[in-house]
Amino acid sequence: MEHELFRQGYGSSNGHSFYFSDGTSASGRAEGNLAALTLAPELSRKASLGVDSKFFNNRLSFNLEGFLEDRRNILISPSNISGVIGIGVNEQSLGQEKYRGADVSIAWDDQAGDFEYGVYGNGGWLFSEVVDDGQAFQAYDYLYHKGNPVGQRYGLEVIGIFQNQLEINNSPQQTFGEVRPGDLKYRDQNGDGVIDSQDRVKMFGSSIPLFSFGFGLHAGWKGFKVFADFQGTTGVTVNLQDSPLYQPLIGNGTISDTFLRREITWTPETAATATMPRLTTTDGANNYVSNSLWYRDGSFIKLRNVGISYTFGKQMLKLCDATLSLNATNLFCLDNLKFADPEQLGAYYPTTRVFWAGLKFNF
Amino acid sequence: MKKILYLLSAVLLLAGCNFLDFDETSGNYTREDMYATYSNIRSMLTNVYGYMPNKDIYDVGSALRDCGSDDAEYADPDASVQRFNNGNWSALSTVDDKWSLYNGIRAANEFLASYETIDLSKYRYDGNYDNWQEHLKYYPFQARALRAYYLFDLARRYGDIPVPTTVLSIEEANSIEKTPFDQVIDFIVTECDDCIEGLPTTYANMYNNEYGRVTKGFAMALKAKALLYAASPLHNPSGDKAKWLKAAQAAQAIIDSGLYRLDPGDVCNNIESTEVIFLIMRSESQNLERYNFPLRFTEGARTSMAGSFPTQNLVDAFQTAGGYDITLGASGWTTDDPDFDLSTPYEGRDPRFARTVLANGMAFKGASIETWEGGADYSATRSDLGSPTGYYLRKYIQESTSFTPENQVQNKHHWIVFRYAEFLLAYAEAVNEYFGNPTQTDGTLHMSAADALNQVRANAGMPDVSATSADAFRQAVQREWRVEFAFEDHRFWDVRRWKLGSTQSQIDGVHITKAGSKLEYSRMTVERRTWSDKMYLYPIPQSELFANTNLNPQNTGW
């Protein structure tokens, strides 16, 4: 019924019916949700200050920029409106986020006779803060998103694995699904004896990296050229649940060898060394909610591009230049996960590593 | 020349046009569309009706609200209705808060505001135009009567409530102040007075025969009920007799109107009863029986704990046919009735008993109910899906509903909102409190309290009540409410308005053992409930207090 945010629609989808005579139902029509009176394009106010400099006869270059950004009019669903209004309210442009950060880059290029070389590094920091995301009233202060980074991870805190039914009976009731020995045990944050959505806490970092960096080098001598570029991020938390490996057998799905090699699932025999809860073909609702077991550090450094080439000059070939090159992309990745690329957890195949060779003629 | 060409092309290309005026919207209806035809206007009002509570009989999840009182216990200990009983009820963990009634109030306010703009004159040559006009003149009164009912339903929960009389904006909704309970009742009464003038006594002779709409009787009934609640001890701590007088006069207006007559048969689900003032009609459904039938009649349709089961506390309220009390003790039944047979304690009782409760030995669906230990309807634990109290619900249950696979039968259940007997009892209660004497009358109140009560007794087939003191008569009236209106959503509110909270802690059932062909009865405890006097009123949801700080202070104790 509400097709446009800016216009209130009327119609039958909210309407209640009633019987004014036995057997004949009359259908009702109702007001649709209130229009988004604050609808406006997202507004970003950014102030940045930077310096670009070159020293030593343009061999050393140094750039630094810091910025403060305030984003407003983000479209959110407002939830702090009293029910006395008696109608739903459409998304409003009331969200607000703040960002601040800095980018720095430094590079050195020099030449010594036939040998030219250069090395560079850059890095960027991004700090974010949620000012207003329209979150509804929460019973406990730790449930609020306000003040936390954008993309902050939240979940239940895992304190162990249930070893037996007695332990389950003596622990707070976990309301997400069936609980049996081998399932994850959570901490009751608010002490109400029940584990439910009110026990979610802020944990680890955000899905948006805090610090991204890159560095590399290039060098050349006579006809040879070589270069390498590294790139990485840190300060990011990934969710293993995004990987298809980490929900084995759910809904009669498959289980991977990689998973079985890396992890030990709980059985009464492996209880002492188990790293994962029990395997199950049911939906495992108790274990597969956001919790501290699935969040991992997603930092990585990758060798993005590396290459070497040699140019045969015109003097040698008479007709043209020829360049022979050998390149590789995504040569290796150093990270904490080891079994997958943290940037592509959701992919069903590993990140491709590409090698190619080329010959270029210049007439 | 080139310059001129450049200039010309620039002028043509860079100019804009503003005559492209087509409608980019998706064709959603606007408010004007909703009030442009009779059929749409009718639909807008139908939506206001849709907020009437108890439409499916059960109203708190799958439980009757009586499970929050000592009349019934719900089978599932984790159901939301149990929050009334187990101490988990709080402003953060609300149950039955019905704040959604504000949606109904807004729908009524919106209707009333838009009604002023209705202009159907372009249809004046339509054959039905006169019929429509006849109906239209009653529409605003219907909206006002419904709005008053929703305000009453909120006020009896929360006491002081905000009363919106116009459509609110976001700022207004987040800053509206509460209106004190007495003023809310005054508003309801003035609205009802206008609706009494404006509404017809029946729609049966009008176009489309829409007899399910609210009538003059509904407005009179709402006024009487609201005044009775305002006069009751919870909101009338000083016992101000002027309030009881107003309640009595409002009830008397219904009695004197001659529109309704007591019906000796079962009024529930009965559209044609002469006693019905307003009822809500429904389509066929098996859900009430699925939750409440003894398990063996559900053919596996009930697979999890559900059901509202009457308690021994309620059963004790039903007298013997001779008008004597009968109670169950630790080792059997006791009564002062000399003619009563204690070996068949469920026969020879108040005739309303068999219409309200299914007890051991009663005939049902071709079989006999067996709740003795080991019997077909006995349930040792709640997970056996039977009754934890030894009794099953009978009121509103349609016996012919059937779950047999080749022969499923569904039935309609029509919820009684107001019926005539309520106002005879309201009159009896109010007049007794006003005069302090059950047999007194005067110029304005020409029937005595005892006469009104005895009319209800006689209609039920019970002997007259002969109490002479105001206190004894009050007890008799309170008992009569309980047995006449069991499972009609009165007990839960009566406990509150009469401040009977202390009776809510001990919930009992019956334990029957069979030794040979002889049955032994004993009283057993089903559960102990937490009662606290703050529970006379509901807690305002914490999220509401957060959004609108003018709704503070919270009701005392929460």
Side-chain angles (χ1 to χ4, degrees):
Chain A
M1 196 159 72
E2 295 83 44
H3 203 259
E4 296 100 12
L5 282 178
F6 58 89
R7 226 170 52 124
Q8 189 177 23
Y10 284 68
S12 42
S13 66
N14 280 0
H16 293 79
S17 61
F18 200 78
Y19 284 86
F20 292 125
S21 52
D22 187 20
T24 316
S25 163
S27 62
R29 295 211 162 156
E31 233 186 318
N33 288 347
L34 279 188
L37 300 167
T38 56
L39 199 66
E42 253 184 56
L43 187 67
S44 164
R45 287 202 191 98
K46 187 167 175 177
S48 57
L49 185 65
V51 59
D52 290 332
S53 55
K54 281 191 181 325
F55 299 99
F56 301 119
N57 216 14
N58 289 347
R59 286 180 293 174
L60 176 67
S61 77
F62 175 72
N63 301 328
L64 176 63
E65 180 179 329
F67 70 91
L68 289 171
E69 186 179 359
D70 178 301
R71 279 209 199 145
R72 285 167 196 258
N73 297 341
I74 300 175
L75 205 59
I76 47 155
S77 296
S79 24
N80 274 324
I81 298 180
S82 169
V84 178
I85 198 175
I87 192 82
V89 181
N90 269 339
E91 289 167 317
Q92 306 278 326
S93 298
L94 292 174
Q96 215 182 324
E97 288 167 359
K98 274 204 188 108
Y99 295 88
R100 58 194 162 91
D103 293 313
V104 65
S105 73
I106 181 167
W108 173 271
D109 290 288
D110 200 1
Q111 197 157 4
D114 279 339
F115 183 61
E116 58 95 11
Y117 64 98
V119 73
Y120 73 89
N122 55 47
W125 287 267
L126 181 63
F127 301 102
S128 57
E129 183 189 330
V130 171
V131 175
D132 187 358
D133 67 348
Q135 196 182 14
F137 169 75
Q138 299 292 323
Y140 299 94
D141 283 335
Y142 57 77
L143 293 169
Y144 283 107
H145 299 159
K146 189 179 160 107
N148 290 338
V150 175
Q152 171 67 46
R153 300 292 193 180
Y154 296 91
L156 300 166
E157 189 183 340
V158 174
I159 52 178
I161 295 182
F162 285 118
Q163 301 298 327
N164 51 50
Q165 187 62 42
L166 187 64
E167 193 180 349
I168 295 176
N169 295 341
N170 287 337
S171 299
Q173 189 202 357
Q174 307 200 165
T175 60
F176 292 96
E178 195 198 354
V179 181
R180 296 216 260 149
D183 282 334
L184 296 174
K185 180 170 167 179
Y186 299 117
R187 186 190 295 283
D188 184 7
Q189 304 287 347
N190 51 17
D192 62 357
V194 171
I195 308 288
D196 56 15
S197 57
Q198 307 222 322
D199 293 298
R200 275 187 225 275
V201 285
K202 168 180 164 174
M203 50 179 50
F204 305 111
S206 155
S207 57
I208 299 175
L210 269 180
F211 180 59
S212 312
F213 59 90
F215 58 90
L217 56 89
H218 66 94
W221 181 67
K222 301 230 165 132
F224 280 102
K225 279 208 180 55
V226 72
F227 71 91
D229 293 313
F230 291 83
Q231 191 215 341
T233 68
T234 184
V236 62
T237 304
V238 293
N239 189 348
L240 286 179
Q241 294 276 289
D242 291 332
S243 163
L245 266 53
Y246 276 83
Q247 290 204 35
L249 298 182
I250 298 300
N252 290 316
T254 55
I255 186 165
S256 88
D257 271 341
T258 310
F259 178 83
L260 287 173
R261 275 199 303 272
R262 287 175 50 80
E263 311 283 357
I264 301 173
T265 56
W266 190 94
T267 65
E269 298 80 38
T270 64
T273 53
T275 57
M276 286 280 134
R278 67 182 172 100
L279 289 172
T280 174
T281 55
T282 65
D283 64 4
N286 182 68
N287 299 331
Y288 295 108
V289 289
S290 301
N291 61 45
S292 56
L293 185 63
W294 306 124
Y295 289 128
R296 298 298 164 87
D297 185 359
S299 309
F300 65 86
I301 295 178
K302 283 184 182 170
L303 176 53
R304 271 276 188 236
N305 294 310
V306 66
I308 181 167
S309 69
Y310 182 76
T311 305
F312 297 94
K314 237 186 174 128
Q315 310 89 290
M316 284 203 236
L317 298 180
K318 304 289 189 289
L319 281 174
C320 57
D321 282 333
T323 306
L324 181 67
S325 58
L326 225 61
N327 292 58
T329 305
N330 286 336
L331 199 57
F332 65 83
C333 176
L334 295 172
D335 60 55
N336 286 321
L337 294 180
K338 300 195 176 34
F339 70 92
D341 179 354
E343 280 188 306
Q344 293 212 63
L345 262 187
Y348 284 81
Y349 47 86
T351 316
T352 46
R353 184 184 289 146
V354 184
F355 296 94
W356 75 89
L359 189 58
K360 183 170 82 167
F361 295 95
N362 217 6
F363 292 93
Chain B
M1 188 59 202
K2 241 188 181 172
K3 278 196 189 142
I4 295 174
L5 273 172
Y6 280 149
L7 196 61
L8 211 57
S9 45
V11 163
L12 285 173
L13 289 170
L14 297 175
C17 49
N18 64 354
F19 55 82
L20 278 179
D21 204 16
F22 68 93
D23 183 10
E24 285 169 318
T25 60
S26 61
N28 272 338
Y29 295 122
T30 63
R31 199 176 60 75
E32 290 69 33
D33 293 332
M34 285 296 112
Y35 290 92
T37 69
Y38 174 74
S39 153
N40 283 351
I41 299 170
R42 181 171 175 269
S43 295
M44 293 304 283
L45 184 62
T46 306
N47 183 48
V48 182
Y49 273 89
Y51 290 92
M52 287 296 285
N54 286 326
K55 282 192 287 189
D56 295 314
I57 317 298
Y58 44 87
D59 203 42
V60 187
S62 314
L64 273 62
R65 195 171 291 105
D66 303 85
C67 296
S69 76
D70 57 343
D71 267 7
E73 166 66 9
Y74 189 68
D76 182 359
D78 295 328
S80 55
V81 72
Q82 303 287 13
R83 270 182 235 157
F84 286 133
N85 306 325
N86 61 15
N88 283 343
W89 194 11
S90 75
L92 290 172
S93 176
T94 57
V95 54
D96 188 37
D97 65 35
K98 285 285 189 288
W99 213 254
S100 56
L101 285 171
Y102 279 109
N103 291 35
I105 293 171
R106 184 196 177 93
N109 284 333
E110 198 280 323
F111 183 85
L112 290 169
S114 299
Y115 181 80
E116 305 298 324
T117 65
I118 289 177
D119 177 17
L120 291 178
S121 54
K122 64 178 168 179
Y123 296 105
R124 62 190 178 278
Y125 298 113
D126 188 305
N128 280 321
Y129 183 74
D130 291 329
N131 290 330
W132 296 344
Q133 289 302 102
E134 189 186 16
H135 264 290
L136 276 177
K137 69 174 192 279
Y138 296 123
Y139 277 6
F141 295 106
Q142 292 176 41
R144 290 168 72 183
L146 292 169
R147 176 178 66 181
Y149 185 85
Y150 300 146
L151 285 169
F152 174 68
D153 213 18
L154 283 165
R156 66 175 170 174
R157 282 176 169 75
Y158 297 100
D160 306 335
I161 54 164
V163 178
T165 49
T166 55
V167 168
L168 298 176
S169 69
I170 296 180
E171 294 72 37
E172 287 165 350
N174 281 350
S175 58
I176 189 170
E177 308 233 340
K178 288 197 286 195
T179 307
F181 180 80
D182 285 330
Q183 289 178 29
V184 178
I185 299 296
D186 287 341
F187 178 73
I188 292 172
V189 167
T190 46
E191 287 290 292
C192 285
D193 281 335
D194 287 344
C195 293
I196 291 171
E197 297 296 312
L199 285 172
T201 53
T202 172
Y203 294 88
N205 310 318
M206 290 188 228
Y207 175 59
N208 250 348
N209 194 13
E210 293 177 347
Y211 51 86
R213 292 185 179 272
V214 293
T215 59
K216 187 197 297 286
F218 177 91
M220 294 200 290
L222 178 59
K223 174 180 172 181
K225 189 165 182 132
L227 286 170
L228 183 68
Y229 275 56
S232 298
L234 179 61
H235 292 287
N236 184 11
S238 58
D240 181 2
K241 292 206 189 239
K243 292 188 181 180
W244 286 114
L245 176 62
K246 280 201 227 167
Q249 288 171 327
Q252 180 166 251
I254 298 174
I255 298 169
D256 288 347
S257 71
L259 292 168
Y260 307 104
R261 255 192 356 262
L262 285 172
D263 182 344
D266 197 359
V267 186
C268 292
N269 299 329
N270 184 357
I271 299 173
E272 270 108 36
S273 172
T274 54
E275 204 178 315
V276 167
I277 299 177
F278 186 68
L279 61 63
I280 302 177
M281 291 178 272
R282 300 296 286 161
S283 58
E284 286 107 1
S285 160
Q286 289 174 320
N287 285 336
L288 189 66
E289 287 78 15
R290 185 202 322 273
Y291 299 142
N292 291 293
F293 262 5
L295 191 65
R296 59 180 158 134
F297 301 119
T298 62
E299 308 285 339
R302 177 156 86 236
T303 51
S304 59
M305 291 185 282
S308 308
F309 300 104
T311 58
Q312 184 63 41
N313 307 47
L314 173 62
V315 172
D316 284 345
F318 288 94
Q319 292 177 321
T320 65
Y324 292 88
D325 290 348
I326 169 170
T327 48
L328 177 64
S331 50
W333 300 88
T334 48
T335 178
D336 288 334
D337 187 339
D339 304 320
F340 192 77
D341 180 3
L342 289 169
S343 66
T344 55
Y346 301 124
E347 292 169 36
R349 291 255 231 171
D350 187 325
R352 292 168 290 192
F353 178 67
R355 295 210 291 253
T356 309
V357 176
L358 260 188
N360 187 61
M362 288 187 183
F364 191 70
K365 288 181 85 63
S368 172
I369 298 290
E370 301 176 0
T371 53
W372 70 75
E373 194 172 329
D377 300 306
Y378 177 70
S379 178
T381 66
R382 289 186 192 222
S383 42
D384 291 334
L385 304 186
S387 169
T389 61
Y391 299 106
Y392 289 86
L393 179 68
R394 184 71 180 90
K395 194 169 255 192
Y396 279 110
I397 296 287
Q398 300 272 29
E399 187 174 350
S400 63
T401 303
S402 165
F403 294 92
T404 47
E406 322 80 41
N407 189 20
Q408 301 257 5
V409 175
Q410 304 199 20
N411 277 306
K412 294 178 184 170
H413 304 82
H414 308 300
W415 174 261
I416 309 273
V417 177
F418 290 124
R419 61 183 171 100
Y420 182 55
E422 177 177 350
F423 301 99
L424 283 167
L425 289 181
Y427 182 84
E429 180 181 344
V431 169
N432 180 49
E433 298 293 336
Y434 179 65
F435 288 131
N437 180 336
T439 49
Q440 191 173 333
T441 63
D442 75 6
T444 47
L445 301 169
H446 48 77
M447 180 162 52
S448 73
D451 283 343
L453 176 61
N454 288 329
Q455 278 190 34
V456 177
R457 296 275 291 185
N459 181 57
M462 290 292 282
D464 285 355
V465 159
S466 55
T468 45
S469 78
D471 288 335
F473 189 79
R474 183 184 308 122
Q475 300 295 324
V477 169
Q478 291 184 352
R479 167 212 292 282
E480 206 62 31
W481 275 106
R482 192 174 191 182
V483 303
E484 177 73 30
F485 290 101
F487 300 112
E488 294 186 37
D489 197 21
H490 280 251
R491 179 66 181 170
F492 183 86
W493 305 110
D494 290 342
V495 162
R496 281 157 173 76
R497 71 183 177 94
W498 292 327
K499 300 188 79 164
L500 296 181
S502 53
T503 61
Q504 301 295 297
S505 317
Q506 173 77 23
I507 303 301
D508 296 327
V510 65
H511 184 72
I512 311 177
T513 47
K514 192 167 187 178
S517 61
K518 195 165 167 328
L519 295 171
E520 305 262 312
Y521 300 86
S522 68
R523 195 182 189 94
M524 68 170 181
T525 303
V526 172
E527 75 174 4
R528 311 210 95 249
R529 292 180 177 171
T530 333
W531 173 268
S532 154
D533 283 352
K534 67 187 181 191
M535 288 160 63
Y536 284 130
L537 290 175
Y538 280 47
I540 299 176
Q542 191 67 30
S543 54
E544 288 295 319
L545 291 178
F546 190 73
N548 178 3
T549 50
N550 287 336
L551 292 179
N552 280 302
Q554 175 64 281
N555 285 330
T556 327
W558 291 107

